[in-house]
Every structure is written in C-alpha cells, then in structure tokens.
Amino acid sequence: MATFFGEVLSEFSRAVDDDEEDQEENEEDEQIRRELEEKREVHLHWSSEVTELLQSGNKLQCSDFILAVGHNAARFLSVYALASSNWEAVGHASLWNERSRAVTGPTSEESACVFHRHKETPSVLICQVICYVAEDQLFQWTEKVFDCLQHRELNVTVLSDGSVADYKTANYPCTSSAPFLRSLHTDAFRGQPVSPSLEQPNIITGLPAAVLNHCQVHGIATVVYQCYSDVIGPDSVSMETYKPALTKLRKSIQLDSSRSTDVLRKFVKTTDIQSNLYI
Amino acid sequence: MFIPVENSLCSFKGFTLVMPAVAVGNVGQLAVDLIVSTLNMKRVGYVHTDCLIPMAGNNPYTICRDDAEELHTPAEVYTAPELKLAVLQIRAPIIQTKFKKFRQLIVSWIKSSGFSRTVILSSSHAYQRDDQQLKGMPLRYLVTPSLLKVSEDALKSLGWREMERVPAFPGMTDTNAEPRLCIPGGGFTKGLYSDSCSEDLPLAVLLLFCSEGDNIPDAFTLVNHLNDWLHLLDSPSQEANKWKIPPSWSLLFGSGIPPALF
C-alpha cells in the first residue's frame, strides 16, 4: 500500500486472494510471464578465479559464512571487519524487483549485495546485503549462493536488522530496551548463542528466514541474530549491538574491536528528506 | 520437496493426511495447530519449496524449556503413527505466481506417499454466501468421487451439507452456464480439489464460512467437526476444551498496551 507520503509499505493481510482460474495461456501471455520471471532472476557474479573454480565443478571452500542483512548489520561489518586490508571482494549478486531504484551505473547494483573473502583465511566469507530481496527471490538467492559453497563443517552467522515494532511481547517493550538482539539457530548449531532465543510468538521473515530454512533442511550449523531497533534507518547504537555476535567467530578473522563509536557514526547517512516530513 | 528429518523412518502408506488451505481467517491452519498440539505429534519432515514465503521461528508447540529452541519452517509434516495420521502444516502464504506449481507438488507428493485419504481444512468468505448458504450450519464439505466410494455412509450419517454449486453469472437467468463450484477466499482449495478429482485421489474438503477477525472459535468448530468424522480424540466433540492451544497463539493481536498511551 502507498502511504500519504508516497512510501510503499508492504502490508500483510490474513485475507487471501483466490487462486486464479486456470486461464488458457496463449503464447504471448506465456512469453510475457517468462520474460518477467527472467527479469526477476537472481544473478551471481564472481571474480574470474572463483568462476573458474565453480565451472570446473568445485565449490568454494568455506568454513565460516557471515551474512549481514540490512544497513546497520552491513555497516557494522564494514567497520569491524572489512575496514582492514585483509579482505578482497570476490563477487556480488544482482537482482531486480519493484523496489529497485533506477540504476545509474554499475556501482549501485554492485554494492547492494557484495561477497568478501579473507585473504589469509580464504575459507571465511562475508556477504553484505542492503538491497530489498523480494519474496519470490529469497529462495532463489539462498539456493544459488549456497550452491556455490561447500557444506561440510560450514558455520553460518547471520546479522539482521529488524524493527522493534515487529517484536511481540506481553509487556510492551519500553524505549530503553531497544536495540536488543534475539537469536534463532538450526538444529545442527552447536554452542551457545550470545543473545536470548527469540520468544514465542515471534517469527522472522526475509533473507534470514530463507537462509535458516535452507540450513535447517540441509543440516548446516547456522545462527541468526536479529537486532530489534526503534530507529528507522542506520544508527550507530544499533550497529554496536551486534558486537557480541562476532566474538564467537574464529580469531583468525581478527576483528578490530578497538573501533570507536565515532567511526560507526561516520558511516551513518542522514535519512532521505523525502521520507521524513518532520526533521 | 519432502525432506525427512534425520533418523526418522516414515512410511505414510495407509495414513490419513490432514492439511490446511491458506484461506480466510487462517482457520484451516489454526485447526491443524490444535491437532498437532493436542495429539503431541512428532515432526517427521519438511516440505522445502520455493512456492512458500520463507519464515522461521522457534517451536510453536513447545511444552518445556528443552524443546523450546527448535527451529521450525513454513511447511512441515507431523505424524501420530498410532492413529495412522499425518498432518502437513503450512505457516506461510503461497507466492502469488506459484499456486499451480504448489498444487502440482502436493498432488504428486500425496500420490507417491500412498496416503489412503486426504482432508483439506479450509474456509470461505462468509460475506459472499448466497441465500441458500446463509441458512443452517456454516460447515460445508466436498469429496472426490474416489473417496465418496468408501466414505459415503459415514458422511451421510454426519448430516453435513455438500458445498453448493453457484450460478456462473448470478442474477442472470438467461444463460446456459452450468452452476459451478466457487470457494471465495479459499486459496488453493478449489484448485486442489479439482486436481484431485482429475487425478482420482481420495480427497475431502471441510470448510467453514467465516470472516477475518478472531478466528479461534472457528478453528475449534472446524476441528470438532473433523473429530466427529475421524475420531482423533477419544472423548466426544461436546467437550470442546480438550483441544490444547499451542503457545504460538499468544499475542495474536499484538503486544501488550504501552503504558504511555494513558
């Protein structure tokens, strides 16, 4: 639905649309449908080295895959991990949907979903996703990415931004409690998550859910840390909330925990004026 | 598409499958929740498909701390072997362009698993009832010819009403159009029923006319009717409070009220 200010919000309704009558699809309809499906396909673009590896029938060696979904999670990783020179970009994913902004050059598309690999420990992979992945693209994104990774002894950590408005609790969450972390993990996950488990009746959706579904079904050790924040848009306090999640990761990643909050604040852009009538 | 849980030997041959349609009020899904929760059914597998919107959460049927942190996915299969009952729970909407594909997957899974019969729990918009449908019980049933052969007597003795066919163009008397089946708000119910007729599958639909709102009473009504037929619970259906509400039903209408509001 469109709001008064022209934002497009996805509204979920329990009322369901009827299944469409099985209409006779003529060739033109089918072609249009196929073209639309192709336009919405998720494409992975790897570096030449990785492409060669995958084309020869091998998979990317991966022991730790860290996925950041959302601006706060992505910025947090940019500051605490990727700021050092030990990482190289090895690929990106591109996709188009109704929320994709008009791409003015290849850089906007490339930066929306990037894969980085640690130079010294190439089995450690980071991916930052700041674009919107539509409901019909989530499964595809997950399958295509995990198809490139070897699954044995793979550990997946997902950092995901969320809104405290979506968090249900009997005691209404007071503003001082946000931002906070809640975790969900697959059966294959061993060890202790660094935050309390997501309580009933809360659920998560989107890319973190798609990853959890895939990993649960395929027996991959995975933990998702959802950060519930009361601020719309990136903010340094929410970014810092992710710190405990990374302490569990291998020391070889050499996270720079000496980074101060000031550095995080530098990454925070002012929110778009058109979406905030009241400054 | 069906992926069994590790170390679970599951053969569904001869089992009855109960599954919901994602329909108005989510009544079918709520009813299935009651069945799984009350009968303490065990999860035996996942239906892993690109047709459903992904979601994940902890165990919605948790009874103690030990099983609380168990991840659950949008579509899972549970069984109660002593009752030869299997249940497919669907927790997410079907992606708009994938209805047909999902129906095909379900039909082929039903066939390959060897279920003796399938029951779809569903619902339909109460506001679109015609004059006939406004009278009497809001429950309706449908049954494929294949299942009618074996269950005709049982269904007759229950006194249920079959879902009426409605005119294709209501109000227009001057047409030769045959009355047809119409289940507004029923999601894939009609499609799956038609597919099952074509594929000669023994399948029944049990649906309730309802509106969006607090659909918990509707879920109880539907599951009690199902119990009248399948006798899942020992006790008679009059004792409605025998169905156990799962913890996932808490806060259905949102969090507690913010004190700052007053």
Side-chain angles (χ1 to χ4, degrees), chain A residues 77-91:
Chain A
L77 282 184
S78 293
V79 170
Y80 278 90
L82 300 172
S84 76
S85 54
N86 290 328
W87 297 86
E88 54 175 352
V90 289

Side-chain angles (χ1 to χ4, degrees), chain A residues 167-188:
Chain A
Y167 181 72
K168 288 190 197 168
T169 173
N171 307 313
Y172 190 81
C174 59
T175 41
S176 58
S177 61
F180 54 85
L181 285 186
R182 286 294 183 268
S183 65
L184 274 178
H185 60 85
T186 58
D187 290 353

Side-chain angles (χ1 to χ4, degrees), chain B residues 102-115:
Chain B
F102 187 68
R103 279 175 9 223
Q104 286 167 347
L105 288 175
I106 295 289
V107 164
S108 76
W109 179 61
I110 291 174
K111 276 161 107 173
S112 62
S113 303
F115 291 110

